[in-house]
Amino acid sequence: MSFFNVYLPIAGIHLNILLLIAIGFCVGIMGGFFGLGLGFITNTALNIFRFHMAFAIGTGLSNVFGQSLSAIRKHQKMGNVDWKLGAIAIFTSVAGFEVGSRVVIALEKAGDVGSVIRWSYVVVLAGLGSFMCYDYFVLQARQLKRPEADSPAGNYGSGQERQHSSVARRLHQINIPPMISFPASQIERVSLWVVVSVFLCTGFLSGVLGIGGGFMILPALVYLIGLPTTIAVGTSLITVLATAGFGCLTYALDGKVELLAAVFLLVGSSIGAQIGATAVKFIKGYGIRLLFAIMMILAALSVMAEQFYMMTSRPAFHAFSWVILEGTVLALTATIIARLLLGYRAERAGRI
Amino acid sequence: MSTKKMFALLFLSFLFISVPTISAAAGGGEKETAALNQKVDTSKLTGINRWVAEMYNGDRVLYAIVVTLVMAALGTSLAFLTDLILKSLGLEVSRISHRE
């Protein structure tokens, strides 16, 4: 295996390229499937393999930039990208993010708020994940009671779906001009102010918690704006692409990107993103939401364990946090690939 | 592949990746690179490593542009290539119906 060890001159370390490709592949599959960058997984993995955190973040962002380009290409083919909504999301989310991060900076001057922020992160992740799980199981229970209500392929907008986006429906009823439509997202009419407010809030929350926007934007697009899940996945990638592209350039200007490591990561993640995006074709929207919810809950558990490690300095918590994170990444990657293969088999059987 | 075999394979791959990481994590992780070198020593480097390091040392703006362009070009071309391979395997995608 030493044949695959390469020297990375900027970071000044030796690393196995197969490891980099494998990390990229797993992150790419999940990123393409959920419409996320998942930079925090790459960053922490690189950091564990002796990358300085600044290099890990810069290199991870460069990888996310290339990976999201790859995923967007596939989602675009499937009609999952709403560029108009994505453009609004970029500008308003960035504004919200800026306000959020400034609030944190101001609060930090007053006292140590790091711990409060990390616990808030846990609560937000676990809360959102639990809500999405609850939403899924409510639908399952309803389908068991009324199996005839199960929507056949392609009839998005059936009775049960409308019932599940009641918040979005109420928001759509707000009549403050200018009103705007998003045909690509199947939204006929919504106030621009509603859309802007939603993205300002998600951006603000991301800024306060110090996380990438994808985690907040995907549920907001589905539950507040009322997008079908698959379009929400493709559209959230636009914000990921914009922020990662900007981050890649600024971190590289600052000399914090290890180009060779980023290239090897991208080899894996670009291929993974294509596979992950293709898997979306075979899984219904609620299935994607359930997996996303599970990921959020497990990520919350991992952050919680890390928080306990910081409080008690017990290495067991640190190790536990890593086991959960790695287990989640591997299990979800395997699940997505398995669903892709099963869907492919079923499709082929149907064709024959 | 049976479900049992799939779970066994999953568990083994989990162990394969987890064990070294857990041990590293338990020890607080290996020591990070000592410092964020602003200049890279190129005297012992050859080939592409030398080229990258010299660009990094010489012109940071050029380095940033190259990094961004390489990521964009590589991401797009690998996507194109993977798309072709998936298509040849029968995993072609077109406009999908948005099922919930």
Side-chain angles (χ1 to χ4, degrees):
Chain A
M1 295 294 269
S2 61
F3 174 76
F4 293 103
N5 279 341
V6 287
Y7 180 65
L8 305 168
I10 313 294
I13 55 173
H14 284 89
L15 205 56
N16 192 307
I17 56 173
L18 292 182
L19 193 67
L20 286 170
I21 293 172
I23 293 169
F25 183 71
C26 291
V27 170
I29 285 200
M30 288 171 65
F33 184 76
F34 292 119
L36 302 173
L38 296 171
F40 74 98
I41 295 176
T42 322
N43 302 346
T44 31
L46 289 178
N47 188 231
I48 268 236
F49 294 111
R50 291 184 298 125
F51 266 67
H52 190 283
M53 203 50 179
F55 272 121
I57 294 172
T59 309
L61 272 170
S62 307
N63 168 58
V64 170
F65 174 50
Q67 167 196 314
S68 51
L69 265 173
S70 169
I72 278 188
R73 195 175 179 277
K74 198 71 156 186
H75 280 290
Q76 172 78 22
K77 267 185 157 183
M78 293 190 280
N80 291 345
V81 184
D82 187 335
W83 290 99
K84 189 174 163 187
L85 187 59
I88 296 174
I90 290 170
F91 292 111
T92 45
S93 299
V94 167
F97 191 94
E98 189 61 26
V99 175
S101 51
R102 279 178 193 273
V103 166
V104 172
I105 292 166
L107 285 174
E108 271 176 347
K109 280 181 188 160
D112 181 24
V113 289
S115 178
V116 178
I117 288 170
R118 279 189 292 274
W119 281 116
S120 309
Y121 186 25
V122 172
V123 171
V124 169
L125 283 179
L128 264 175
S130 306
F131 168 73
M132 290 173 84
C133 270
Y134 166 78
D135 183 45
Y136 176 82
F137 289 114
V138 165
L139 178 85
Q140 290 295 307
R142 192 171 296 131
Q143 282 185 348
L144 279 175
K145 278 185 194 163
R146 292 189 303 133
E148 73 279 5
D150 192 10
S151 55
N155 77 337
Y156 169 75
S158 64
Q160 61 176 240
E161 175 53 31
R162 281 197 294 275
Q163 200 164 342
H164 274 275
S165 53
S166 60
V167 180
R169 251 196 356 270
R170 272 181 215 161
L171 288 176
H172 287 186
Q173 283 164 2
I174 296 174
N175 263 312
I176 307 172
M179 302 302 281
I180 190 167
S181 70
F182 297 101
S185 296
Q186 303 172 0
I187 293 172
E188 285 176 11
R189 200 166 173 270
V190 64
S191 170
L192 178 66
W193 296 108
V194 169
V195 179
V196 166
S197 308
V198 167
F199 289 131
L200 275 176
C201 290
T202 55
F204 177 78
L205 212 54
S206 301
V208 169
L209 301 177
I211 54 171
F215 264 121
M216 297 293 143
I217 284 179
L218 186 83
L221 285 174
V222 172
Y223 291 103
L224 301 179
I225 311 276
L227 262 68
T229 314
T230 43
I231 298 182
V233 168
T235 305
S236 89
L237 275 169
I238 299 174
T239 46
V240 172
L241 176 73
T243 49
F246 182 71
C248 168
L249 188 70
T250 50
Y251 268 84
L253 271 173
D254 208 22
K256 305 293 187 293
V257 175
E258 170 52 70
L259 177 60
L260 293 178
V263 164
F264 289 123
L265 276 172
L266 185 57
V267 169
S269 72
S270 189
I271 295 168
Q274 287 281 307
I275 295 172
T278 307
V280 166
K281 178 185 169 185
F282 299 106
I283 303 178
K284 285 186 182 180
Y286 265 94
I288 298 170
R289 290 191 215 175
L290 178 67
L291 290 175
F292 188 82
I294 292 169
M295 180 178 69
M296 284 187 116
I297 291 169
L298 290 171
L301 207 61
S302 172
V303 176
M304 199 163 75
E306 193 61 29
Q307 182 65 11
F308 280 130
Y309 168 66
M310 284 171 151
M311 286 161 63
T312 61
S313 299
R314 287 189 178 180
F317 283 121
H318 191 52
F320 182 61
S321 166
W322 270 100
V323 171
I324 296 171
L325 200 63
E326 283 187 3
T328 307
V329 170
L330 284 170
L332 283 175
T333 302
T335 308
I336 294 166
I337 292 175
R339 291 300 301 266
L340 171 74
L341 293 176
L342 288 172
Y344 171 62
R345 247 161 95 183
E347 192 184 64
R348 279 194 72 172
R351 250 187 253 157
I352 295 164
Chain B
M1 189 189 287
S2 70
T3 317
K4 268 186 184 174
K5 275 185 185 169
M6 204 169 98
F7 275 109
L9 194 70
L10 251 177
F11 182 68
L12 282 177
S13 57
F14 175 65
L15 277 184
F16 175 73
I17 299 186
S18 291
V19 170
T21 318
I22 294 167
S23 55
E30 287 185 61
K31 208 178 170 188
E32 287 178 3
T33 314
L36 288 169
N37 303 318
Q38 290 302 313
K39 294 281 176 196
V40 178
D41 179 15
T42 56
S43 58
K44 289 175 187 167
L45 299 175
T46 54
I48 196 160
N49 274 4
R50 191 184 179 94
W51 177 71
V52 170
E54 278 176 352
M55 184 169 49
Y56 180 86
N57 287 342
D59 189 345
R60 208 47 72 73
V61 176
L62 177 68
Y63 180 73
I65 293 169
V66 168
V67 166
T68 312
L69 289 179
V70 165
M71 289 294 113
L74 192 66
T76 314
S77 46
L78 278 171
F80 178 73
L81 208 67
T82 314
D83 196 28
L84 281 181
I85 295 168
L86 289 175
K87 211 184 274 183
S88 69
L89 293 171
L91 276 165
E92 193 174 3
V93 295
S94 54
R95 233 178 157 72
I96 59 168
S97 52
H98 302 289
R99 296 174 294 163
E100 292 293 319

